Amino acid sequence: MTPGRVIRVLIVDDQDLMRAALRKLLEVEDGIVVAGEAADGRQALAAVPRCEPDVVLVDARMPRMDGVELVAGLAVAHPGLAALVLSTFEEDEYVFGALRAGARGYLLKDCSPEELVAGIRKAYEGKTVLDGPVAARLVAELRLRPAPGTGGFRGQASLSGRELDVARMIAVGATNKEIAARLFITEGTVKNHVSSMLRKLGLRDRTQLALYLRD
């Protein structure tokens, strides 16, 4: 983060007490300011031009327009914004729906204040943020899906044979260490292959790559 740069956060939650608690938590953090609040997705979309936030902290389940719809709307109307979901729900429809819609991350409301603040900073920097249980759920879901390669996927022709090998293992949730051991290469080489695939496929990070391969 650029020294002196303040991260502007828009809090979106239908519970007054939760918004107040989040505001109180964030207001004491250096480099973070609460730019505004909204009680649902429609209010949030209307508030963005006025608040000019960098990060939108989004509840998953809200009346009128839920978090997934809001994330999708932000991706279209304000593609530069980082949407970070903060929810009590970890059902697939919310987790995968939000990530597919363009959310930078998904945290559960029982995360620590330190994890939330770190998540906001990471989302602002363009990194993917996943709570431990959410990450485990994502990996479990990926392991149930067949590896790419049989039916092909968009951009597959641009990848080398070794990159495809790495892609198949990423698609089932393998770690860099597991991939390196299976393919008899170093973890550094695995990271290089992942970076190359991200560049060729126009993706942001490894989590987005895993979702791309799964779909």
Side-chain angles (χ1 to χ4, degrees):
M1 182 174 144
T2 304
R5 179 68 169 92
V6 175
I7 303 173
R8 297 174 59 81
V9 178
L10 172 62
I11 300 171
V12 187
D13 196 295
D14 63 325
Q15 297 183 22
D16 294 344
L17 286 177
M18 178 56 68
R19 293 200 308 275
L22 289 171
R23 174 181 281 277
K24 186 175 181 180
L25 186 157
L26 296 177
E27 282 181 336
V28 300
E29 292 295 327
D30 292 335
I32 294 179
V33 63
V34 177
E37 299 178 11
D40 59 50
R42 292 183 183 178
Q43 286 186 16
L45 286 175
V48 167
R50 180 180 71 254
C51 297
E52 298 183 340
D54 301 300
V55 177
V56 182
L57 198 57
V58 180
D59 186 21
R61 184 178 291 180
M62 297 180 291
R64 298 209 303 166
M65 178 186 289
D66 68 16
V68 175
E69 291 179 282
L70 171 57
V71 171
L74 290 171
V76 173
H78 308 280
L81 280 182
L84 177 61
V85 177
L86 179 67
S87 177
T88 56
F89 304 100
E90 54 180 300
E91 286 89 345
D92 290 355
E93 63 178 299
Y94 292 115
V95 175
F96 297 119
L99 293 174
R100 288 196 191 99
R104 286 277 169 82
Y106 201 107
L107 294 175
L108 299 179
K109 286 183 177 177
D110 61 359
C111 70
S112 69
E114 293 78 15
E115 289 172 325
L116 175 58
V117 171
I120 289 172
R121 296 188 191 282
K122 289 179 180 177
Y124 172 75
E125 293 168 357
K127 300 175 182 177
T128 297
V129 183
L130 294 177
D131 204 313
V134 173
R137 198 175 193 87
L138 177 61
V139 170
E141 173 69 12
L142 291 173
R143 289 186 188 278
L144 295 175
R145 299 299 179 109
T150 53
F153 57 92
R154 183 166 51 84
Q156 178 174 322
S158 67
L159 305 186
S160 68
R162 182 57 88 186
E163 287 171 347
L164 286 172
D165 291 337
V166 173
R168 293 185 181 99
M169 297 191 69
I170 288 176
V172 295
T175 65
N176 285 354
K177 185 175 181 179
E178 291 170 335
I179 295 172
R182 179 70 64 85
L183 299 180
F184 302 102
I185 56 179
T186 67
E187 289 186 57
T189 299
V190 175
K191 292 179 181 178
N192 289 338
H193 286 314
V194 171
S195 296
S196 176
M197 286 189 286
L198 293 176
R199 184 180 66 257
K200 290 178 180 179
L201 298 175
L203 302 174
R204 186 175 63 236
D205 51 40
R206 184 192 176 96
T207 300
Q208 199 176 58
L209 174 62
L211 290 168
Y212 180 90
L213 295 170
R214 190 198 72 165
D215 290 340

